[in-house]
Amino acid sequence: MSDNVSISEQNNCLDLPKKILTRYPTICPIGTILEDIDLEKFEKASTKYRKPSYQRMMSKSVEWQVKLIESILEGNTIGPLTLSKWSHCQLLEHGETDYDEFYNIEDGQCRLSAMLNFKNGNITTKYGNYENMKIKIAFDTTTLSLEMLDKANSRIRDSEYLTALCNNFQLLQEGSPLTASDRFWAQSKSDDTNFPGSPLVNLTVEMINNNSLGVLFRNFCGFVTLNSRTPNGRKKLADAVSIIAAALYGVEYANSKFFDKVPLLSRNIDDEEQTNMERIFKIIFGILAEVETNEPRRSNERFASYFSTPQKFIGSMLLDIEQNSNPQHEGEIKERWVKVINVMRNMSFDTSKNMTECLDECVYSNLTTGNRRNCTRGDYEARLDAIKEWCNRNEE
């Protein structure tokens, strides 16, 4: 065996990755943390303890918060908090330097939020409230276990450190598992911290929020402005990424699963790819405009819900365009989709069945349940074949 072959290669194992993060345990009294914390302003906060942009806007019920505070007052453990250490040095006028050291809350914001609510008098316990001096002292002097994250060495750039923290955040859970949208938001660009983010996620946010096609996404797909700080704006990112990724790279990505798209997150998107993607959506929105022209929306119809995810129509439409990329086929594609969508809409209105039931009964009756519901390329191919067959049977 060659001396140049590493042990890892001999065992068909991967080499260990470059170490970006180091960790160490410490403790700190609750009162010390709460007197210098801001959970609202994210990167714009000037306090010692802050919340990073990729954190969720989560809140727990009053009952949950009360039980947490009572556990603290009873001397029970509430688990460690995870914080990341940051330090910035800035040169000021007259040669002076300003050194800013602070800690981002990686895991534990719900617990800290409950503690703040108790300190601010928003909740009380069976033992009393924060104004009771005995309770105040017991609460403020309780020490919390902290797991501190820091750069493994001083040569690591802030951008590397932040990327590692974002990836680490995706592995952390505090009661509620991270959704696909939470994971995608952790990959979005942050100007405040110079984090470049994923080209795919950044393009998705730009397309929905600022691109000229954004109005059409909102009109036909029901997307609100994507925003990590609002519940509605946060939760739709996974669906939006799935549709953009499918138009860029293929219908196999037309699902809201985060881990399916991990290989795409670092891939750069060139002008040609973006132009082709925009061309595809112009075709789709042209189809939907004609759908609505031929059959205007009814007052109680949830029209945009048909197209807010790739499952019902958008995924199969993307595949149809992919398979027939020559512009001469666009008229045929439009005619097919306008017909099937409006027939299903009218059937749903006349029978009070939902769109899925109408499709299952009339179009997908010979498909397996998996082909009807799942979102692999094979499933979309089966659905598209069924739609074409239905159109052929129902030619006027």
Side-chain angles (χ1 to χ4, degrees), residues 46 58 87 131 191 215 243 260-261 270 317 334:
S46 58
M58 289 187 63
S87 57
E131 292 181 354
D191 291 329
V215 174
I243 293 173
D260 284 2
K261 298 175 191 64
D270 61 35
M317 294 170 76
K334 177 180 284 190

Side-chain angles (χ1 to χ4, degrees), residues 203 205-220 274 278-279 281-282 285:
L203 177 61
V205 174
E206 176 68 20
M207 285 287 295
I208 305 302
N209 290 355
N210 301 319
N211 189 279
S212 59
L213 292 175
V215 174
L216 300 176
F217 274 107
R218 290 190 284 277
N219 181 41
F220 291 117
Q274 183 170 341
E278 293 180 354
R279 177 190 67 84
F281 284 117
K282 287 175 182 177
F285 292 138

Side-chain angles (χ1 to χ4, degrees), residues 350-366:
D350 293 338
T351 63
S352 297
K353 295 178 180 178
N354 63 41
M355 182 64 72
T356 299
E357 292 171 331
C358 293
L359 285 166
D360 286 349
E361 181 178 324
C362 292
V363 183
Y364 301 150
S365 57
N366 293 326

Side-chain angles (χ1 to χ4, degrees), residues 318-363:
L318 287 167
L319 180 61
D320 203 357
I321 296 168
E322 177 189 313
Q323 292 180 347
N324 301 278
S325 57
N326 193 312
Q328 68 183 22
H329 295 295
E330 289 181 15
E332 174 190 343
I333 294 171
K334 177 180 284 190
E335 181 180 355
R336 175 164 43 248
W337 286 101
V338 169
K339 181 176 183 178
V340 69
I341 292 171
N342 276 341
V343 170
M344 293 302 106
R345 289 173 64 205
N346 287 328
M347 179 180 176
S348 177
F349 180 75
D350 293 338
T351 63
S352 297
K353 295 178 180 178
N354 63 41
M355 182 64 72
T356 299
E357 292 171 331
C358 293
L359 285 166
D360 286 349
E361 181 178 324
C362 292
V363 183

Side-chain angles (χ1 to χ4, degrees), residues 167-387:
N167 292 332
N168 186 71
F169 167 74
Q170 294 170 36
L171 303 176
L172 295 174
Q173 296 182 10
E174 186 182 319
S176 300
L178 296 175
T179 66
S181 288
D182 292 328
R183 296 179 190 277
F184 283 123
W185 277 116
Q187 298 294 328
S188 65
K189 179 181 179 181
S190 172
D191 291 329
D192 293 314
T193 56
N194 295 319
F195 177 52
S198 158
L200 174 60
V201 176
N202 295 340
L203 177 61
T204 299
V205 174
E206 176 68 20
M207 285 287 295
I208 305 302
N209 290 355
N210 301 319
N211 189 279
S212 59
L213 292 175
V215 174
L216 300 176
F217 274 107
R218 290 190 284 277
N219 181 41
F220 291 117
C221 302
F223 288 141
V224 298
T225 300
L226 297 176
N227 187 330
S228 64
R229 310 289 165 79
T230 62
N232 288 336
R234 186 178 183 88
K235 69 182 181 181
K236 292 300 295 182
L237 181 59
D239 289 329
V241 170
S242 71
I243 293 173
I244 300 296
L248 282 168
Y249 304 119
V251 75
E252 56 267 34
Y253 298 108
N255 61 70
S256 59
K257 297 177 182 178
F258 172 80
F259 291 104
D260 284 2
K261 298 175 191 64
V262 167
L264 307 178
L265 293 177
S266 60
R267 186 184 298 186
N268 289 323
I269 301 167
D270 61 35
D271 292 341
E272 183 178 351
E273 289 174 318
Q274 183 170 341
T275 298
N276 183 60
M277 177 202 63
E278 293 180 354
R279 177 190 67 84
I280 290 170
F281 284 117
K282 287 175 182 177
I283 295 172
I284 289 177
F285 292 138
I287 293 170
L288 299 184
E290 187 155 330
V291 164
E292 192 172 12
T293 298
N294 292 356
E295 294 285 348
R297 301 187 199 193
R298 298 177 175 91
S299 59
N300 60 343
E301 184 180 18
R302 297 178 60 215
F303 182 86
S305 68
Y306 309 147
F307 314 107
S308 60
T309 67
Q311 185 180 28
K312 285 190 180 73
F313 292 113
I314 295 293
S316 298
M317 294 170 76
L318 287 167
L319 180 61
D320 203 357
I321 296 168
E322 177 189 313
Q323 292 180 347
N324 301 278
S325 57
N326 193 312
Q328 68 183 22
H329 295 295
E330 289 181 15
E332 174 190 343
I333 294 171
K334 177 180 284 190
E335 181 180 355
R336 175 164 43 248
W337 286 101
V338 169
K339 181 176 183 178
V340 69
I341 292 171
N342 276 341
V343 170
M344 293 302 106
R345 289 173 64 205
N346 287 328
M347 179 180 176
S348 177
F349 180 75
D350 293 338
T351 63
S352 297
K353 295 178 180 178
N354 63 41
M355 182 64 72
T356 299
E357 292 171 331
C358 293
L359 285 166
D360 286 349
E361 181 178 324
C362 292
V363 183
Y364 301 150
S365 57
N366 293 326
L367 300 185
T368 66
T369 301
N371 283 154
R372 298 176 186 183
R373 301 286 181 267
N374 295 335
C375 295
T376 66
R377 173 173 282 272
D379 297 317
Y380 285 120
E381 289 173 344
R383 293 206 281 273
L384 179 57
D385 288 343
I387 286 169

